[in-house]
Amino acid sequence: VEIGKEIYEAIKDNQPVIDTTVDWAGAVPQGVTNWTQLENWQGPAQTDGYYIEFKNGLGKKLTKFSWRFVWKYGGDMNGVGKYVTQAGVDIDTAYAYLSEHLNVEVQSLKPVNYGTSAAPIGGVDVQVSVSSHGLFEKTTKVCTMTVKGDGTSALGTCEHGTFGHDGEAVVV
């Protein structure tokens, strides 16, 4: 069962608006309404860093967002299962040139059991959507990471790196 927020803003109009006390997601057993009902939590775990950067046709940086996926893991109920809580992002950098707007939204997708019914391993996909726009164009890139109750993670579809104003990847 999913707990926490399904969707929240991390950056709005170039400013961090994330509140890590409430802006997170988790995957817990049926009937649990609060992650504190479980015990033996570990972590937080974190992934390597990712970034999405947009440059104009002259190579000038317009916006950049860099982050790591973070989560606590290993929580169990009466010794059974490994679950996830406080899954979200840890922001490293949020930059926008004067004329640009940077918005970042974080969404958690429905939880999945990666174990068995007798030994469940909860997991949730955390999806980061980074939008950059100036006066005319808006471009959005998305990166998804699956975080699991055993402390592991798996990169899903992820558009990360440096992009031109047209949304195409730039070789740097």
Side-chain angles (χ1 to χ4, degrees):
V1 172
E2 185 173 16
I3 59 170
K5 282 193 177 175
E6 184 179 329
I7 192 165
Y8 56 89
E9 293 175 319
I11 305 290
K12 183 174 183 177
D13 285 330
N14 309 336
Q15 299 298 315
V17 294
I18 193 169
D19 178 354
T20 56
T21 61
V22 294
D23 293 338
W24 53 266
V28 297
Q30 187 85 29
V32 171
T33 57
N34 188 322
W35 65 270
T36 59
Q37 292 174 263
L38 305 179
E39 54 190 11
N40 299 317
W41 290 107
Q42 298 175 51
Q46 68 179 16
T47 63
D48 291 336
Y50 293 88
Y51 75 94
I52 295 175
E53 177 180 59
F54 294 96
K55 292 186 175 185
N56 67 13
L58 302 173
K60 177 159 182 56
K61 179 169 44 174
L62 300 175
T63 58
K64 182 175 183 176
F65 180 69
S66 61
W67 76 97
R68 295 174 192 282
F69 293 95
V70 294
W71 70 104
K72 290 185 180 168
Y73 62 96
D76 64 63
M77 184 157 196
N78 302 320
V80 177
K82 293 182 178 190
Y83 297 97
V84 174
T85 191
Q86 297 178 352
V89 296
D90 182 25
I91 299 170
D92 290 329
T93 305
Y95 168 82
Y97 185 69
L98 218 48
S99 63
E100 299 299 308
H101 297 276
L102 176 67
N103 293 298
V104 179
E105 185 176 87
V106 181
Q107 180 175 5
S108 62
L109 307 178
K110 295 293 179 200
V112 172
N113 178 8
Y114 289 95
T116 65
S117 57
I121 299 173
V124 66
D125 289 350
V126 178
Q127 186 176 70
V128 176
S129 298
V130 179
S131 296
S132 176
H133 68 93
L135 296 174
F136 305 107
E137 276 185 49
K138 179 177 181 180
T139 306
T140 301
K141 297 294 180 185
V142 178
C143 185
T144 304
M145 180 71 70
T146 300
V147 298
K148 298 179 185 178
D150 61 3
T152 63
S153 61
L155 185 62
T157 302
C158 186
E159 302 173 285
H160 62 98
T162 302
F163 300 90
H165 68 288
D166 57 1
E168 295 298 314
V170 173
V171 177
V172 281

